[in-house]
Amino acid sequence: MKSALGKTPRRPPLKKTSHTQKDPVGVYCRIRPLGATDEECCIEMISSTTIQLHAPDGIKANRNGEYKETQYSFKKVFGIQTSQIELFEDVAKPLVDDLIHCKNGLLFTYGVTGSGKTFTMTGSPGEGGLLPRSLDMLFNSIGPLQAKRFVFRTDDKNGMEIQGQVDALLERQKRESNQQSTVPKTPSSKQKPDPEFADMISPEEACKCEGVDEDSCYSVFVSYIEIYNNYIYDLLEDAPIDPIRPKRPGGGTPLQNPELIPPQSKILREDQNHNMYVSGCTEVEVKSTEEAFEVFWRGQKKRRIADTQLNRESSRSHSVFIVKLAQAPLDADGDHILQDKNQVTVSQLCLVDLAGSERTSRTKAEGSRLREAGNINQSLMTLRTCIEVLRENQMCGTNRMVPYRDSKVTHLFKNYFDGEGKVRMVVCVNPKADDYEETMLVMRFAELTQEVEVARPVDRPICSLAAGRRHRNQDGSVLNQLLDSLPALPACELVDPTDEQILPRLIEVLERRHRIRQMITEQYTRTANTLKSMLQEFDGHLVAKENFIQEQRGKLGEKDKIMFNQKNEMDRLEKKSKMLEYKIDILQKTTNIYEGDKRSLQQELESREQRLQRELSERKRMEARMQGMVSDTKHQWEKECMLQPSYNTPRLPPTTGTPIRPHHRRSHSAGGQRWVDHKPLSNLDLDTVMQPIIPNAIKVSAASEKALSKCHKYVLTHQELASDGEIQTKLIKGDVFRTRGGGQAVQFTDIETLRQECPTVSSRKRRSSGDGSGQYNGNKMDWNDRENRVSCPHYCPSLIHLG
């Protein structure tokens, strides 16, 4: 669980100019020798900058396929024969040189457990690593130029203060008295350096930085921290002894002294220059390589190490050794440091030994070891994520936020990746086949890191008054040399003004001195004239440069005006473009609406055309049917006329006065279609042949749309009195069809008139003239029964419309 105090409020970073030069992160690769000669090797060094990875045979068989051989390039590759001094010359020496010249640096080792990271950083007796060699080079360069102890003092805000000689002396005495009271009385109170690291560097391998400013005073401060389970601990902090708690082993990584109170974790803060630092961290002022390495080894004994399946002493935390160099200019006399805090320049070099990166399944870790491995892998994964985001922002032009705060390691070193110093990484690899998969992940991360560029740190000039004093002394020494070059006056005592021996010699010496003076004066005049002409020439060049600068400024102003006008024009065009896009959007919406209306109207028009076509086809069928009906009716009439009996055909007279009731007949025009038989209630049922019967007819007393919709023909029975007082029946016939409005209509096509005469009525008897063929035996009665039928086979315009 992360500490709530571990994060500081975010501040806006310093703005950097866009024309800042950048350098890629320097990534180096070092190959460790194999532990045994019969071990399988999976790494081959192709050149001084390229290595090649070969997949082991076991992995090929397990993966059911062969891995391709991959090559990776670095700034430089160091083989198994590379010595520690060769590695230092190429990797760490330029960073120490930058440290002395007021520039920051970050150097960290990265790799799998057992790949040689700690050996590369620390080394062994006779083979000192990068850290002791960096300290040795630093003190060899500034040894005689160091200030007295406690002249420089930290202000607990990642800055430095300068105090006078008296204050420094008082503080030194105070510290010494406190140390004497706290250090237990032993035969030798002073701790001796560890004999294992007594001789790390041989004298012939010592190196020194050139170009050290001799007019400045220096002081070195070191601090040593570790990042364990994403917590920061100070390894140089003197933990007090707990008198109550008994000695017992801790539940986590074992410490050197279990009876001590566990150290408290530190928090990260941001100084006034937006640089990250560990608040409350112990910073020890050291004056020699031995003293600095003694402080380092004292903190090294407190590091958390454990025995894992891969390494007997595996680092379970990330260690950070910080070397801070403070320097300030001397006064004009070169005796004291300027008492000005603004003139103090502080630079630092961070040497980081990252914990091993490997799968927890290989370490066989359980419990607290498993939690430690998870935190280590999580912090390294955060480092990889930050590198990936930096690379994406630089290559793709994006502005994604880099997640520095997700891990204490990345949060502490965010300023280096933002351009506060050089960044270099040494990738340590073990060529054995068991580490092949982890080595591939390390290679990919290293290849990704090389593509990240870091801003090149700028030089910080230091104003020194002692330099002017030295130049003035040099000028005075030249003048004294000129005076000494003049011939000396003869040592004699002049008594007589007419002395012919002393006076000629004196005159000769004075003349020689006068000639030398004239020569010096002429040389001075020539030199002065030459210098004057050079100054005039320089003034001319300066005026020309100033004119050129003014001209360029004028051109730059014109360019600025053009750019301003172009920007305004671009803004106007952008606004116009947005307005046109808005209008296009409106027109597009209107077009969509019109197209929808057009489609609906087209569909409606098509439906109406289809309905009109159906009605036209229905009308044509109806006309054809009516033509057929007319021809059928005409044929029936002709047939009836041919079958009609003659008027002279004798008939039997009716019996005693009762009317004859012949059989009913059906109307010849009924056909085989269905009819609507409309008989009003006022009609009389005569029960004679004058009452036709239509089969399959719907009998109604009033015309209705429902009845008409089920039939094809319509007949109306109409009764009225004729002129002779008899009942006359008319059958009005027509065709039923559907109208456009969905109703029913009847078009009349035929009228049948039915009349009858009763033979019992005298007014209706008529005698026949001729041969008396209409007479009957017995009653001598002549009668004539005649049926009159009036037909209208042609089109009748009369219509009845329902619905």
Side-chain angles (χ1 to χ4, degrees):
M1 181 176 181
K2 294 183 179 180
S3 174
L5 300 176
K7 292 186 177 181
T8 56
R10 185 176 179 84
R11 297 181 183 178
L14 292 175
K15 295 184 178 179
K16 296 181 174 57
T17 56
S18 58
H19 55 79
T20 304
Q21 296 181 352
K22 294 185 178 181
D23 296 323
V25 176
V27 181
Y28 302 84
C29 179
R30 187 179 192 183
I31 304 175
R32 173 182 175 170
L34 288 173
T37 57
D38 57 345
E39 278 189 320
E40 184 181 1
C41 181
C42 64
I43 296 178
E44 179 183 358
M45 184 173 173
I46 303 298
S47 64
S48 61
T49 59
T50 307
I51 64 173
Q52 184 171 344
L53 266 68
H54 306 276
D57 297 333
I59 295 182
K60 293 179 183 178
N62 294 335
R63 293 300 181 91
N64 195 16
E66 294 186 359
Y67 277 88
K68 294 183 179 179
E69 296 178 351
T70 54
Q71 293 185 358
Y72 299 94
S73 298
F74 300 91
K75 191 170 183 179
K76 191 171 184 180
V77 177
F78 301 96
I80 59 176
Q81 303 297 333
T82 303
S83 62
Q84 296 281 59
I85 184 63
E86 292 177 1
L87 182 67
F88 173 77
E89 289 283 343
D90 290 331
V91 178
K93 186 176 180 180
L95 296 181
V96 179
D97 188 64
D98 288 344
L99 176 68
I100 298 175
H101 291 87
C102 308
K103 297 178 183 178
N104 300 329
L106 171 63
L107 173 62
F108 58 95
T109 57
Y110 181 80
V112 186
T113 297
S115 59
K117 301 185 300 299
T118 304
F119 175 77
T120 300
M121 184 61 68
T122 306
S124 61
E127 295 182 355
L130 299 178
L131 189 146
R133 294 182 184 275
S134 299
L135 294 174
D136 186 66
M137 176 180 175
L138 177 61
F139 285 105
N140 290 339
S141 302
I142 65 170
L145 303 176
Q146 295 187 73
K148 293 183 179 181
R149 202 179 295 269
F150 303 118
V151 172
F152 289 90
R153 185 180 62 180
T154 59
D155 59 357
D156 297 330
K157 295 181 181 179
N158 203 31
M160 287 290 174
E161 296 177 348
I162 301 176
Q163 55 186 359
Q165 297 290 339
V166 178
D167 296 335
L169 180 61
L170 293 176
E171 185 174 356
R172 183 163 58 252
Q173 293 176 355
K174 181 179 179 182
R175 293 285 183 92
E176 290 177 355
S177 62
N178 291 336
Q179 288 179 0
Q180 290 178 359
S181 62
T182 56
V183 174
K185 295 181 180 180
T186 58
S188 177
S189 61
K190 184 177 179 181
Q191 184 181 2
K192 296 181 179 180
D194 196 286
E196 185 179 359
F197 291 89
D199 298 325
M200 297 286 292
I201 305 170
S202 59
E204 59 271 10
E205 292 180 353
C207 57
K208 182 179 179 182
C209 177
E210 301 295 337
V212 180
D213 187 7
E214 298 180 356
D215 297 319
S216 297
C217 202
Y218 302 87
S219 184
V220 180
F221 294 82
V222 295
S223 57
Y224 197 17
I225 63 173
E226 72 169 351
I227 301 175
Y228 175 71
N229 287 341
N230 209 27
Y231 289 95
I232 300 177
Y233 297 100
D234 185 5
L235 295 177
L236 302 181
E237 184 178 19
D238 294 332
I241 299 176
D242 190 355
I244 300 176
R245 181 180 302 173
K247 294 184 180 182
R248 57 187 176 88
T253 302
L255 297 176
Q256 188 73 15
N257 297 318
E259 74 276 6
L260 298 180
I261 298 176
Q264 298 294 323
S265 62
K266 305 297 180 180
I267 61 176
L268 291 177
R269 293 192 184 277
E270 195 174 25
D271 62 7
Q272 60 181 358
N273 297 323
H274 306 286
N275 296 322
M276 305 305 301
Y277 70 99
V278 181
S279 178
C281 180
T282 304
E283 294 182 351
V284 181
E285 186 177 8
V286 291
K287 295 299 179 182
S288 65
T289 305
E290 293 75 17
E291 185 180 357
F293 200 81
E294 179 183 349
V295 173
F296 165 76
W297 190 240
R298 188 177 67 197
Q300 183 74 6
K301 291 181 178 180
K302 294 183 180 180
R303 279 198 66 186
R304 288 169 169 83
I305 59 175
D307 184 11
T308 64
Q309 194 74 13
L310 300 180
N311 196 355
R312 185 176 62 85
E313 293 184 356
S314 175
S315 301
R316 311 311 298 160
S317 64
H318 310 293
S319 67
V320 182
F321 189 78
I322 302 174
V323 181
K324 187 176 293 185
L325 179 63
Q327 54 181 305
L330 299 174
D331 56 7
D333 297 331
D335 298 331
H336 303 287
I337 303 175
L338 290 178
Q339 301 294 316
D340 187 2
K341 184 178 180 180
N342 297 326
Q343 293 293 330
V344 179
T345 304
V346 180
S347 56
Q348 65 180 12
L349 173 63
C350 294
L351 302 173
V352 186
D353 183 11
L354 295 177
S357 169
E358 67 276 333
R359 293 173 296 176
T360 55
S361 60
R362 294 191 59 202
T363 60
K364 309 297 182 183
E366 296 179 355
S368 60
R369 296 289 175 273
L370 183 61
R371 184 165 63 91
E372 291 171 357
N375 289 323
I376 291 171
N377 292 336
Q378 181 63 33
S379 61
L380 295 177
M381 184 61 67
T382 303
L383 177 62
R384 181 185 181 93
T385 303
C386 294
I387 294 296
E388 290 177 350
V389 175
L390 283 171
R391 173 181 173 273
E392 181 181 351
N393 290 342
Q394 293 177 3
M395 298 186 67
C396 303
T398 57
N399 194 19
R400 289 180 54 192
M401 184 182 70
V402 184
Y404 291 119
R405 294 172 177 258
D406 292 349
S407 174
K408 293 295 190 299
V409 176
T410 55
H411 195 192
L412 179 61
F413 301 124
K414 66 179 291 292
N415 304 104
Y416 290 94
F417 291 101
D418 289 341
E420 291 296 330
K422 290 184 179 180
V423 180
R424 293 194 173 184
M425 179 175 69
V426 179
V427 178
C428 300
V429 294
N430 194 338
K432 66 179 182 178
D434 295 339
D435 293 345
Y436 173 74
E437 294 187 355
E438 283 83 358
T439 303
M440 283 194 64
L441 297 178
V442 170
M443 292 295 104
R444 292 172 184 171
F445 173 70
E447 190 177 34
L448 186 70
T449 306
Q450 291 184 111
E451 299 179 359
V452 176
E453 294 183 347
V454 178
R456 184 180 302 173
V458 296
D459 295 330
R460 303 175 186 176
I462 299 178
C463 299
S464 177
L465 300 178
R469 174 185 56 80
R470 189 171 66 250
H471 290 306
R472 289 195 300 271
N473 293 337
Q474 291 178 358
D475 295 339
S477 62
V478 172
L479 181 61
N480 293 331
Q481 291 177 2
L482 291 175
L483 293 177
D484 294 338
S485 63
L486 295 176
L489 294 176
C492 59
E493 183 177 358
L494 183 62
V495 178
D496 188 4
T498 61
D499 192 355
E500 296 181 355
Q501 295 180 356
I502 297 175
L503 287 178
R505 286 188 298 172
L506 183 60
I507 292 171
E508 182 181 359
V509 170
L510 291 176
E511 288 178 351
R512 287 174 58 190
R513 291 173 68 94
H514 180 67
R515 287 196 298 270
I516 293 175
R517 182 178 180 182
Q518 286 182 347
M519 291 173 59
I520 293 174
T521 303
E522 292 176 358
Q523 186 177 2
Y524 172 77
T525 304
R526 289 195 299 270
T527 305
N529 293 332
T530 304
L531 182 60
K532 185 176 180 180
S533 62
M534 291 175 63
L535 289 176
Q536 292 177 354
E537 184 178 359
F538 288 155
D539 290 339
H541 287 304
L542 182 61
V543 172
K545 293 293 184 182
E546 289 179 353
N547 295 333
F548 178 75
I549 291 174
Q550 292 295 334
E551 183 181 357
Q552 294 298 323
R553 286 179 178 175
K555 292 182 179 179
L556 183 60
E558 295 178 358
K559 295 292 184 181
D560 290 339
K561 291 181 181 179
I562 295 174
M563 290 177 63
F564 181 75
N565 296 332
Q566 291 179 352
K567 185 177 180 181
N568 294 335
E569 183 67 16
M570 289 175 63
D571 294 339
R572 187 184 66 82
L573 293 176
E574 286 180 357
K575 292 181 181 179
K576 186 176 181 181
S577 176
K578 290 181 180 179
M579 182 62 66
L580 293 176
E581 289 177 357
Y582 177 71
K583 291 182 178 180
I584 290 173
D585 190 14
I586 294 177
L587 292 175
Q588 186 67 32
K589 292 180 180 179
T590 307
T591 304
N592 295 334
I593 294 173
Y594 286 163
E595 288 181 353
D597 294 342
K598 180 181 178 181
R599 285 193 297 269
S600 61
L601 292 174
Q602 286 180 350
Q603 292 177 359
E604 184 178 357
L605 180 62
E606 290 176 358
S607 61
R608 288 188 178 184
E609 288 179 353
Q610 292 177 0
R611 190 164 56 250
L612 180 60
Q613 292 295 333
R614 287 196 300 270
E615 290 178 357
L616 290 176
S617 60
E618 185 68 23
R619 182 173 180 180
K620 289 180 180 179
R621 286 196 299 272
M622 186 179 296
E623 289 179 356
R625 189 169 62 247
M626 290 180 63
Q627 292 293 336
M629 291 174 59
V630 169
S631 59
D632 292 343
T633 305
K634 184 176 180 181
H635 181 66
Q636 289 178 2
W637 286 349
E638 291 177 354
K639 187 175 181 180
E640 289 179 0
C641 292
M642 292 175 65
L643 297 178
Q644 186 71 28
S646 65
Y647 295 109
N648 296 325
T649 303
R651 298 186 179 180
L652 294 176
T655 58
T656 62
T658 60
I660 300 175
R661 298 182 181 273
H663 294 287
H664 291 280
R665 72 174 183 87
R666 57 180 294 185
S667 174
H668 291 287
S669 61
Q673 297 178 344
R674 196 165 187 183
W675 289 71
V676 177
D677 190 1
H678 183 189
K679 291 183 180 180
L681 296 176
S682 59
N683 288 357
L684 299 177
D685 190 5
L686 301 179
D687 198 18
T688 62
V689 294
M690 292 309 189
Q691 185 68 27
I693 297 178
I694 303 175
N696 297 327
I698 298 177
K699 295 182 179 181
V700 295
S701 59
S704 64
E705 184 179 0
K706 182 177 180 181
L708 292 173
S709 63
K710 297 179 180 180
C711 301
H712 303 84
K713 297 291 185 177
Y714 174 83
V715 59
L716 173 63
T717 305
H718 175 68
Q719 292 181 348
E720 61 182 2
L721 293 176
S723 60
D724 54 359
E726 296 293 335
I727 294 177
Q728 179 176 315
T729 301
K730 292 185 178 179
L731 300 180
I732 306 172
K733 301 178 182 180
D735 295 330
V736 180
F737 63 92
R738 185 180 298 275
T739 62
R740 293 186 179 180
Q744 304 293 331
V746 179
Q747 183 176 10
F748 296 105
T749 58
D750 191 12
I751 299 176
E752 290 188 7
T753 302
L754 306 179
R755 299 179 62 186
Q756 68 178 1
E757 294 180 358
C758 185
T760 59
V761 181
S762 59
S763 62
R764 300 180 65 179
K765 293 180 180 178
R766 293 167 49 177
R767 288 194 181 272
S768 62
S769 60
D771 54 1
S773 60
Q775 298 179 357
Y776 288 89
N777 294 329
N779 55 8
K780 304 293 186 180
M781 180 180 296
D782 294 332
W783 60 277
N784 188 5
D785 186 8
R786 187 172 182 178
E787 176 184 326
N788 297 324
R789 181 173 181 177
V790 180
S791 299
C792 299
H794 302 287
Y795 173 75
C796 179
S798 301
L799 293 173
I800 181 171
H801 181 77
L802 298 177

